Amino acid sequence: MKLVAGNWKMFKGPAETVAFLDELEPPAGVEIVVCPAFASLAVAVGRGLPVYAQNVHWAEQGAFTGEVSAPMLRELGVEGAIVGHSERRQLFAETDETVRMRCAAALEAGLRVIVCVGETEAEREAGETDAVLRRQVAAIPQHDALVIAYEPVWAIGTGKTATPELAQQAHETIKELHDTRVLYGGSVKPENAAELLTQPAVDGALVGGASLEPESFAAICRAAT
Ligand code: PGA
């Protein structure tokens, strides 16, 4: 079964979260998760879909202002977390090492993990895609509860999607390095979801912008069935 995750980023407070989940008509035959902002996690839990956070810290508790721990998320009923999103890596200085630590702590606490990898446009143009993926994937632990999302940074929020062939190729590279399911992310929309999701190495999608409206998110989920 394919997995489709909606990454809402810093959109939707609690009221909009409830409204979205009331309106969404999730199809059967696909695993669907939503990833609201921290402030909206509590109201999202218990409304029919698994709820993941967008990040998680490696310590159980401590002097880490602004961070949230895996046990805290578990206490809320949150089932998983995204780790290492390119926005975290680029805007908040996350490294392969902090990604590794966050993954390990989340898995240890019983959370499922979607860990993101992907090259920037400059890295792709310099022919470094393979090396970047190898380096990023090497930092990721093997675990049944972990999936990788391949998100080429140049495709996130830009409307530029990887071609299905290019996604397939990158997913094959990742699967050679890591025995896991691999989701594709980067400008997935209802119009391109089916061609991406029918690639044999594409096990699902991590969707940003197009996950914010119940109808477009449901359409992508249907394309995954
Ligand atoms: P996008 O974001 O679908 O808006 O490109 C994907 C992501 O950042 O996970």
Side-chain angles (χ1 to χ4, degrees):
M1 202 183 295
K2 306 254 182 194
L3 167 63
V4 177
N7 172 15
W8 292 351
K9 309 193 178 186
M10 202 171 71
F11 294 97
K12 296 192 192 300
E16 284 184 63
T17 295
V18 170
F20 177 100
L21 293 170
D22 282 350
E23 202 181 320
L24 183 72
E25 291 175 16
V30 50
E31 210 183 321
I32 303 171
V33 311
V34 289
C35 313
F38 285 131
S40 300
L41 291 171
V43 297
V45 168
R47 290 181 186 271
L49 291 179
V51 175
Y52 286 21
Q54 296 173 13
N55 196 10
V56 56
H57 197 261
W58 55 82
E60 283 186 25
Q61 57 182 10
F64 300 103
T65 303
E67 292 282 336
V68 172
S69 76
M72 291 171 185
L73 295 172
R74 292 277 293 167
E75 189 179 335
L76 279 183
V78 169
E79 293 181 35
I82 298 172
V83 173
H85 190 277
S86 63
E87 285 150 17
R88 299 295 320 170
R89 293 178 191 255
Q90 296 203 306
L91 305 174
F92 301 96
E94 296 214 11
T95 63
D96 291 330
E97 178 59 8
T98 60
V99 168
R100 186 193 64 72
M101 288 160 70
R102 290 177 195 271
C103 285
L107 293 165
E108 170 76 29
L111 291 172
R112 308 187 73 81
V113 171
I114 299 172
V115 54
C116 304
V117 300
E119 79 287 358
T120 63
E121 187 150 40
E123 288 164 342
R124 173 159 287 274
E125 278 167 7
E128 291 167 0
T129 300
D130 228 62
V132 169
L133 293 179
R134 278 173 197 283
R135 194 199 73 226
Q136 291 178 337
V137 171
I140 299 173
Q142 290 278 348
H143 198 289
D144 287 348
L146 178 145
V147 303
I148 293 178
Y150 169 61
E151 298 207 311
V153 178
W154 47 269
I156 295 178
T158 57
K160 288 193 210 171
T161 317
T163 61
E165 296 71 32
L166 196 149
Q168 169 69 19
Q169 209 175 42
H171 285 220
E172 279 173 8
T173 303
I174 293 166
K175 282 169 184 271
E176 276 166 25
L177 302 167
H178 202 290
D179 179 22
T180 185
R181 292 196 284 171
V182 181
L183 316 181
Y184 171 78
S187 298
V188 177
K189 302 183 214 40
E191 305 81 66
N192 61 21
E195 57 172 10
L196 288 160
L197 286 160
T198 49
Q199 295 298 312
V202 176
D203 301 307
L206 179 55
V207 187
S211 73
L212 293 171
E213 292 300 328
E215 190 35 52
S216 74
F217 188 52
I220 293 167
C221 294
R222 287 195 297 271
T225 61

